[in-house]
Amino acid sequence: MSETLAPVRPGKLIINGEAVDAASGRTFETRNPATEERITTIAEAGAEDVDRAVRAARAAFDDGPWGRMRPAERARLLHKLGDLVLANADELARLETMDNGKPIFESRQIDVGMVAGCFHYFSGWASKLSGDTTSVNPSFFTYTLREPLGVVGAIIPWNFPMIMVGWKAAPALAAGNTVVLKPAAETPLTAIRLGELALEAGIPPGVLNIVPGRGTVAGEALVRHPKVDKISFTGSTEVGQHIMRTAADTVKKVTLELGGKSPNIVFADADLDAALRGATTGIFYGKGEVCAAGSRLLVERSVYDEFVGKLAERAKKTAPGDPMDPKTRLGALVNEKQMGVVLGWIETGVKEGAKLVAGGQRQPVNGKGTFVQATVLADVQNSMRVAQEEIFGPVLAVIPFEGVDDAVAKANDVFFGLASGVWTRDVKKAHVVSRRLRAGTVWVNMYNYYDPGMPFGGYKGSGFGRDLGADCLHEYTQIKSVWLNLE
Ligand code: NAD
């Protein structure tokens, strides 16, 4: 049974603790990709609004309560925000599914829990960040202070609109920074709602500002703003490269979480039923619009034909459905443009010589929506474009290999290095291959697991810096050395 949808209020910018219209009065529409209907209108931030938000964040950091607050009090407020996320789980999950098209099952069971988990986990760190005393010279007292950076600009994509707020804002705020966050124009609803909940939790005005708008306008203004100390970006490689270049003008710190083309390697000695489940959820979870999707499946030659046959069967059973139906496991792609891109890639794969063994078509649900079938391209060669470039949709490229060296060589022969999977019953092989893979995450006999306590980020073209885990706190703090002369 589908959920009944309550009407969604028009979205505003959240600047300095208030829900406001854009200075220009401009708005944009956000649409439900499953029904093709307009959901509501959203205030569209321009450069002037971004400037106001940055000034509010600056004041809250430099003069205001956040910079001066006791870490234990910051921790209490962030923990409360985590509680409020759980208390509003149903509403947040519905907004996410309407805006993005992902199944309500995922929004409820995964996304909401991850966001709450981030605020809970990082609230614990607020009171545990410390420097060191060092022994440089008996005549001096020398120590280090671990300090926040100041104002963090967070720019996030449309595939995990709510989770990304948790990934970026929770550690940045826990470390004592203030934040201006720009959600993707395609999916602004949950970020705005989380901004409201932050105020309800008692997080002071100006500490977390939300400025939905276009990347080339609001995003660009945030990156160029001289009073922003750091940009934490998750999104496409091209935009990440542009941000890195632009941020050089103001010598901003940058972390980039970019795309992926992650190898999921199935050895013949694996539990093949488990590997089959991991291969399918590895690509079809989140409609394949997942940076870490296991989009290149490497299968050992001796089990290749049998495995591909079962994979095709399983993919054919993973039919797109109404995202609001709790039983649905494959939702709608985020918009028509993305659907066109994905269908174009399937065509490219077939032209390149890949064999289409499942899916390949648009499949509307109730006559509407940007749904694409779970698609498997077999007999792919690693040099093909469908094996090298990110598709960002439910399309799996399957490549045969012979033995460990060939698997590792093919796995690493790609621009990206975000994630990877290894399926084997051989413990030694699991560890050896994990070490040889050039990727920020290796999952062994599992795929697509995340936790606020485990760092996540890229090697190679997938970017640098880490979200999540204790390591990511280094991305939001800097070290000051203090020397005191005792003579
Ligand atoms: P995108 O790069 O088009 O947009 C990401 C964000 O950047 C959006 O908020 C957008 O408005 C903004 N932006 C666009 N142009 C900008 C500019 N000139 N200046 C400043 N900001 C600008 O990416 P997308 O299409 O929204 O998301 C999909 C991409 O994100 C995929 O490549 C995916 O792999 C990547 N991604 C990576 C991770 C990760 O953790 N590595 C996670 C999720 C998504």
Side-chain angles (χ1 to χ4, degrees):
M1 251 268 289
S2 278
E3 301 271 341
T4 322
L5 301 186
V8 178
R9 282 177 286 134
K12 306 258 187 183
L13 317 178
I14 299 196
I15 299 179
N16 207 19
E18 284 174 25
V20 294
D21 291 320
S24 66
R26 288 177 71 115
T27 58
F28 64 97
E29 287 185 347
T30 181
R31 304 187 84 83
N32 182 334
T35 61
E36 300 174 22
E37 283 159 10
R38 192 188 78 139
I39 305 171
T40 189
T41 54
I42 307 288
E44 181 179 330
E48 199 180 330
D49 305 294
V50 169
D51 181 55
R52 260 192 307 154
V54 172
R55 282 173 196 282
R58 197 75 252 170
F61 181 78
D62 291 336
D63 318 314
W66 202 246
R68 297 196 187 147
M69 193 178 280
R70 280 190 317 119
E73 180 61 6
R74 273 205 313 263
R76 192 182 67 76
L77 298 177
L78 291 172
H79 202 274
K80 191 161 173 204
L81 176 52
D83 291 347
L84 283 175
V85 169
L86 293 179
N88 291 275
D90 285 349
E91 182 198 359
L92 285 166
R94 273 202 303 273
L95 288 176
E96 194 78 327
T97 286
M98 273 193 259
D99 223 8
N100 168 280
K102 66 173 67 188
I104 191 80
F105 165 79
E106 292 179 10
S107 301
R108 267 218 191 106
Q109 306 303 322
I110 299 166
D111 300 42
V112 169
M114 178 51 120
V115 180
C118 284
F119 286 106
H120 286 151
Y121 172 81
F122 284 106
S123 72
W125 273 110
S127 57
K128 291 163 198 72
L129 295 173
S130 59
D132 288 319
T133 53
T134 56
S135 9
V136 169
N137 186 319
S139 304
F140 305 149
F141 175 40
T142 49
Y143 62 96
T144 59
L145 295 171
R146 179 167 290 282
E147 297 187 332
L149 304 174
V151 175
V152 171
I155 301 179
I156 63 173
W158 44 256
N159 59 339
F160 287 99
M162 158 159 66
I163 282 184
M164 287 295 130
V165 178
W167 283 29
K168 306 287 187 201
L173 296 177
N177 303 280
T178 55
V179 172
V180 178
L181 182 140
K182 195 203 84 63
E186 292 84 351
T187 53
L189 295 178
T190 43
I192 296 172
R193 187 71 189 109
L194 288 169
E196 292 171 354
L197 291 176
L199 294 169
E200 198 179 320
I203 292 175
V207 173
L208 176 59
N209 306 276
I210 310 289
V211 287
R214 291 176 213 212
T216 48
V217 180
E220 192 81 22
L222 196 55
V223 178
R224 290 190 185 279
H225 204 295
K227 302 254 183 240
V228 172
D229 297 286
K230 189 226 163 90
I231 294 291
S232 179
F233 172 77
T234 293
S236 62
T237 303
E238 302 72 39
V239 174
Q241 288 166 326
H242 172 72
I243 284 178
M244 197 171 162
R245 278 191 288 267
T246 311
D249 290 343
T250 43
V251 196
K252 274 188 190 60
K253 292 172 185 56
V254 176
T255 50
L256 301 178
E257 302 278 1
L258 308 176
K261 190 75 186 179
S262 299
N264 198 2
I265 308 171
V266 180
F267 287 100
D269 63 12
D271 172 345
L272 293 177
D273 290 335
L276 190 63
R277 288 194 296 276
T280 36
T281 59
I283 183 66
F284 302 134
Y285 160 67
K287 317 157 255 165
E289 291 170 335
V290 176
C291 54
S295 51
R296 273 190 312 149
L297 185 72
L298 308 186
V299 182
E300 196 152 19
R301 177 77 72 186
S302 57
V303 294
Y304 180 85
D305 288 338
E306 188 193 340
F307 199 86
V308 169
K310 287 187 178 166
L311 194 62
E313 258 174 57
R314 215 178 146 89
K316 285 175 194 159
K317 285 188 194 144
T318 312
D322 174 2
M324 283 295 169
D325 183 336
K327 290 197 288 299
T328 293
R329 294 294 178 269
L330 186 61
L333 300 193
V334 73
N335 56 25
E336 242 184 271
K337 182 172 158 225
Q338 185 63 14
M339 181 178 68
V341 168
V342 170
L343 292 172
W345 272 116
I346 297 170
E347 236 180 274
T348 302
V350 171
K351 274 193 204 137
E352 283 182 305
K355 192 167 147 200
L356 182 66
V357 295
Q361 301 291 322
R362 178 182 189 180
Q363 186 174 317
V365 172
N366 303 324
K368 285 189 185 155
T370 50
F371 298 88
V372 172
Q373 293 169 336
T375 299
V376 180
L377 295 169
D379 302 349
V380 170
Q381 285 169 24
N382 206 39
S383 54
M384 291 179 182
R385 288 186 67 206
V386 285
Q388 292 290 324
E389 295 184 45
E390 189 176 46
I391 295 176
F392 230 52
V395 182
L396 183 61
V398 195
I399 303 164
F401 71 86
E402 316 255 5
V404 168
D405 287 343
D406 190 31
V408 170
K410 283 183 171 140
N412 286 336
D413 181 19
V414 69
F415 170 74
F416 298 106
L418 192 55
S420 55
V422 181
W423 298 85
T424 177
R425 285 192 170 104
D426 180 336
V427 176
K428 186 170 140 194
K429 193 190 282 178
H431 286 295
V432 167
V433 173
S434 297
R435 287 182 186 206
R436 291 178 65 188
L437 289 173
R438 298 205 60 220
T441 292
V442 184
W443 286 293
V444 180
N445 295 333
M446 61 200 296
Y447 204 90
N448 258 336
Y449 279 72
Y450 307 87
D451 188 277
M454 265 311 253
F456 181 83
Y459 278 32
K460 304 197 288 180
S462 292
F464 52 84
R466 290 292 174 270
D467 282 317
L468 305 180
D471 292 87
C472 92
L473 292 159
H474 291 275
E475 316 286 346
Y476 295 108
T477 53
Q478 56 195 341
I479 291 291
K480 180 180 282 170
S481 297
V482 183
W483 298 67
L484 197 135
N485 193 343
L486 298 177
E487 299 213 319

